Amino acid sequence: MSRVCSICSKRPMTGNQISKSFRHTKRRWLPNLQRVRVQTEAGPRRVRVCTKCLKSGKVSKVISRMPAAV
């Protein structure tokens, strides 16, 4: 599965890591993705969502109710 937010389509960014001797090597910045149960038209399902979308309220999480222990 790719590292893409299903809400805002945020993807990994690429660039150079620069050492103190100014050598350049390629590196990647990955988005902070979380697997969350989301309510959709077809019912609850798990999607990958970045934390910015979670904090801003763009996603309605499904609250799973556990049965009470007897």
Side-chain angles (χ1 to χ4, degrees), residues 7 36-47 58-64:
I7 305 299
V36 179
R37 289 187 63 193
V38 176
Q39 186 65 40
T40 61
E41 301 85 27
R45 62 179 264 223
R46 288 191 186 271
V47 293
K58 294 180 182 178
V59 177
S60 59
K61 291 173 62 173
V62 175
I63 301 171
S64 61

